[in-house]
Amino acid sequence: MGPGSPIDFDQGWDDIEWAIVKLTLTLEGLPETPFDAEYHIYVYSTVYNMCDDHSQQVYEACRETIEAYNTEKDRVLHYLHSSSEEKLLEKVHYELLVVYAHQLLDERDSGCSALLRDNKVEDLARMYRLYSRAPKELELVVNVFRKYVTDEGKAFVQQAGRSCK
């Protein structure tokens, strides 16, 4: 499967969930073959291709996954040694957010611009909290926000100018 190939949501989501399981096993130190470049590209391509036709479904599935993660995190923290928690969170954060930052932020129907356009304040706050741990990727959010505000401001000024004539 290459970039641009259509992919069924259920099949794509199965592949993404498998990648999450594989990452979890690796992080827990269980015997698991680590991600190689080819597999990493495959998962990235799957997410990319799903976003063309299924962006809202991918967005909702990711949101549900984050909520499930938070629930499980609270449950697991009772069993996890405190020295492992930060390492686990850093690895999960990197694999799920940093690697896919451009794709998550630039998506036309569910990216940062869409959240701004649709006034999704809670989702924007969640996005900020998630990316605040990665300054380089947070700069991407800032740039999208800056462009959105600039574009909206220009449109407002142009509309005001036309109505004054």
Side-chain angles (χ1 to χ4, degrees):
M1 168 185 51
S5 303
I7 185 166
D8 176 65
F9 176 79
D10 292 328
Q11 174 61 41
W13 188 248
D14 288 345
D15 291 341
I16 292 170
E17 281 187 319
W18 176 246
I20 291 170
V21 168
K22 185 174 177 68
L23 176 62
T24 303
L25 293 174
T26 300
L27 292 172
E28 291 175 354
L30 299 173
E32 183 63 38
T33 307
F35 288 140
D36 61 6
E38 184 177 323
Y39 187 75
H40 199 359
I41 291 169
Y42 173 77
V43 172
Y44 180 84
S45 296
T46 300
V47 172
Y48 179 84
N49 292 332
M50 286 176 61
C51 284
D52 283 347
D53 295 329
H54 309 289
S55 60
Q56 192 60 38
Q57 285 178 290
V58 171
Y59 172 77
E60 291 299 325
C62 287
R63 190 169 64 135
E64 289 170 8
T65 300
I66 290 169
E67 289 172 2
Y69 165 78
N70 286 332
T71 301
E72 284 300 304
K73 177 185 165 197
D74 292 342
R75 187 180 67 78
V76 168
L77 285 178
H78 298 290
Y79 304 104
L80 188 65
H81 191 274
S82 61
S83 65
S84 303
E85 179 184 357
E86 188 59 32
K87 293 175 191 172
L88 176 66
L89 289 175
E90 285 176 17
K91 186 67 174 171
V92 169
H93 186 269
Y94 177 79
E95 290 295 333
L96 297 178
L97 295 171
V98 174
V99 171
Y100 299 105
H102 284 285
Q103 187 163 346
L104 292 169
L105 297 173
D106 296 339
E107 175 57 38
R108 185 176 53 105
D109 295 327
S110 61
C112 191
S113 293
L115 296 178
L116 288 163
R117 177 192 68 226
D118 299 339
N119 201 27
K120 301 279 189 174
V121 177
E122 287 182 30
D123 293 333
L124 285 163
R126 184 179 303 110
M127 181 180 286
Y128 174 79
R129 284 192 306 274
L130 289 170
Y131 282 105
S132 65
R133 294 180 54 169
K136 183 178 174 185
E137 286 69 29
L138 184 58
E139 187 64 29
L140 297 172
V141 175
V142 169
N143 290 338
V144 171
F145 182 76
R146 182 181 298 121
K147 181 181 180 332
Y148 177 81
V149 169
T150 302
D151 292 347
E152 289 295 308
K154 285 179 182 177
F156 181 75
V157 169
Q158 288 172 349
Q159 182 181 5
R162 283 191 296 267
S163 66
C164 289
K165 291 182 179 182

